[in-house]
Amino acid sequence: MIAAPFFVSSAACDRHTVCIAGTMPRLDELHLNLVLVCFSVGDFLRMAADDTIFALSTAPGRAGIAVIRVSGLGAQSALTEICGSMAADPPRTARRAFLRDPLSGERLDDGIVLLFIGPKSFTGEDVVEFHVHGGRAVVAGVLGVLGRLPSMRLAEPGEFTRRAFENGKLDLTEAEGLADLIDAETESQRALALRHMGGALRRAAEGWRSDIIAAQALAEAAIDFSDEADVGAQALAQARQVVHRLVHTLRSELGDQNRGEILRDGFRVVVAGRPNAGKSSLINRLAGRDAVIVSDEAGTTRDIVELHLNLEGRRVIIADTAGIREAEGKVELEGIRRGLAYARTAHLVLWVVDAMAFDFKLPSDLLEIQIPVLMVINKCDLAPTDVVRRLGFEARYISATTGDGVDVLVEDISKFAAERTEGGTGALIALARHREALHKAERGLLDFLCIDDHDAEIGAEHLRSASAALGKLTGRIDVEEVLGAIFGRFCIGK
Ligand SMILES: Nc1nc2c(ncn2[C@@H]2O[C@H](COP(=O)(O)OP(=O)(O)OP(=O)(O)O)[C@@H](O)[C@H]2O)c(=O)[nH]1
Ligand SMILES: [Mg+2]
């Protein structure tokens, strides 16, 4: 008899139990009509982690080749069931094999298979890769057969990588680097992601953490020898030296002007100006298509529209915004508010001016913002450039309609982006989570430096909190709350 898992409250166990009737393999051999197996919820979740998982690891759809990956205890037997025992030997060697449905014997494909025996595999478990022809029917056929094998289930998004993390094959910063590498669209994003995936931040964080642990040991010694004032004070002085050096290092990483984050997330340029200045026309010119609505009606753009460019290998996000003026309606007012709020988070403002309007004044809202502003005088096809130039403004002169001057403007934007992100591929901080952890560690260290000689115990506590912050960064300790967010970023199959 087969029954679905269900939850019951058990007075005897005094906890929730999951009762599974007849779902274990080969239960029929036990000649029982009904088998009740009781697990705690924790056991049940652990059992789910023991499942063998499978998924298509290449992008879905028609392709030359598709790779289906299997990981877990049942991976080897899945391989032999589908391809025969010869396919598993030797491991880590690509073998050509016919894939068959073990039930019907029907041939599914002629492909290549690879077996990695744990722990020498991506996940640290036994892993099999089926390299098959990338047709939908082939992939569906192999996935269907895998799904029918015992203890086998489709992987959750990021579950292969999560298993790799849980088996110590990579730390959280390396997993984040891997996710970024998959998402990378530009050269610099790729370089930064590769550095993180290669363990640059992990190695640094582990080094800092071991320095903190050394300082902690000295602080503990100071506590133990508190009745021998000299010894205790000496140990604390040594700890302070270590911590001073570390604070200096962390400060220089934190003072990187967010170069890594900007490289990863994009250099943000906001296109602002009075209504009808030609902001949306410029955006369309940069996009090379009619991405946004252009009209001679003032107040056309109401919402922020972002455009992603790859300028010399850097990700640049250019945003169109509502023209700034005394708004006539609620919607336009909201558009202007959003535009100004966006401008405050940008790295460069392009202030677009209609050459014929002769209104070159920046609104006070923008003057207050500490962000470089580049004046762009547009519609130069209507006004002779030399006439406008004679006004003596430090500006770029363009025509969004004819495209004149736009190439030079793009070079300028690229220069600004290059300057702002120089050396960014070497940055250790690529995410807000990294920055937050380093700030917390720095705070703990600074607190330690403030303690008096007789407060060694409090000092040791500050060092513990600094070391915990770095432990959380790499995922060594207490990170359950961030795991979902990190591994949820991956697609199924990774
Ligand atoms: N001759 C000429 N006309 C332009 C140029 N750029 C824009 N225009 C025209 O100016 C008008 C307004 O252009 P938009 O791009 O919609 O201006 P905008 O700044 O986005 O306007 P709002 O969204 O209302 O703030 C349209 O009729 C465009 O065709 C240019 O370089 N030369
Ligand atoms: Mg517009």
Side-chain angles (χ1 to χ4, degrees), residues 312-352:
E312 294 178 3
R314 282 179 209 88
R315 185 182 205 214
V316 175
I317 301 167
I318 302 202
D320 191 13
T321 58
I324 299 172
R325 64 170 173 180
E326 290 298 316
E328 284 170 5
K330 268 197 210 162
V331 178
E332 190 180 356
L333 197 69
E334 175 60 14
I336 295 171
R337 191 197 62 75
R338 286 185 189 191
L340 287 169
Y342 189 99
R344 284 190 195 98
T345 69
H347 305 115
L348 173 68
V349 176
L350 298 184
W351 180 251
V352 182

Side-chain angles (χ1 to χ4, degrees), residues 119-277:
K120 286 166 97 181
S121 71
F122 173 68
T123 59
E125 304 172 329
D126 288 353
V127 169
V128 168
E129 286 181 10
F130 295 98
H131 295 231
V132 297
H133 292 100
R136 287 194 176 88
V138 176
V139 171
V142 179
L143 293 180
V145 163
L146 286 169
R148 286 205 308 270
L149 297 177
S151 300
M152 199 63 101
R153 67 170 167 82
L154 200 60
E156 302 285 335
E159 197 172 358
F160 289 97
T161 315
R162 186 167 177 151
R163 287 188 176 197
F165 165 70
E166 277 160 3
N167 290 325
K169 302 296 284 190
L170 36 75
D171 83 327
L172 279 191
T173 66
E174 289 164 337
E176 285 164 332
L178 176 57
D180 284 351
L181 188 64
I182 293 169
D183 289 342
E185 287 170 3
T186 64
E187 272 170 52
S188 54
Q189 286 175 316
R190 186 201 60 209
L192 183 68
L194 262 176
R195 222 169 105 72
H196 278 84
M197 194 185 78
L201 181 54
R202 174 186 53 77
R203 282 189 295 276
E206 282 176 356
W208 299 330
R209 193 158 179 259
S210 66
D211 285 352
I212 298 176
I213 290 167
Q216 253 174 291
L218 288 164
E220 300 290 347
I223 298 167
D224 292 345
F225 293 98
S226 53
D227 44 351
E228 292 171 51
D230 279 1
V231 182
Q234 221 174 3
L236 268 188
Q238 276 180 31
R240 283 194 189 100
Q241 266 181 14
V242 174
V243 171
H244 258 300
R245 265 201 309 273
L246 206 49
V247 167
H248 180 74
T249 309
L250 291 186
R251 282 216 169 137
S252 82
E253 291 303 334
L254 286 164
D256 64 356
Q257 306 211 317
N258 304 75
R259 292 174 196 283
E261 285 122 307
I262 298 174
L263 265 193
R264 176 184 180 272
D265 300 331
F267 179 79
R268 279 193 308 281
V269 181
V270 65
V271 179
R274 301 287 175 203
N276 260 350

Side-chain angles (χ1 to χ4, degrees), residues 271-284 292-302 320-325 332 352 354 356 377-383 398-404:
V271 179
R274 301 287 175 203
N276 260 350
K279 303 178 294 297
S280 301
S281 306
L282 172 60
I283 289 279
N284 285 345
V292 288
I293 300 171
V294 164
S295 114
D296 56 4
E297 199 178 297
T300 304
T301 305
R302 302 292 176 92
D320 191 13
T321 58
I324 299 172
R325 64 170 173 180
E332 190 180 356
V352 182
D354 181 337
M356 302 300 284
I377 300 183
N378 186 32
K379 305 194 189 181
C380 287
D381 54 309
L382 298 179
I398 67 157
S399 165
T401 300
T402 65
D404 279 352

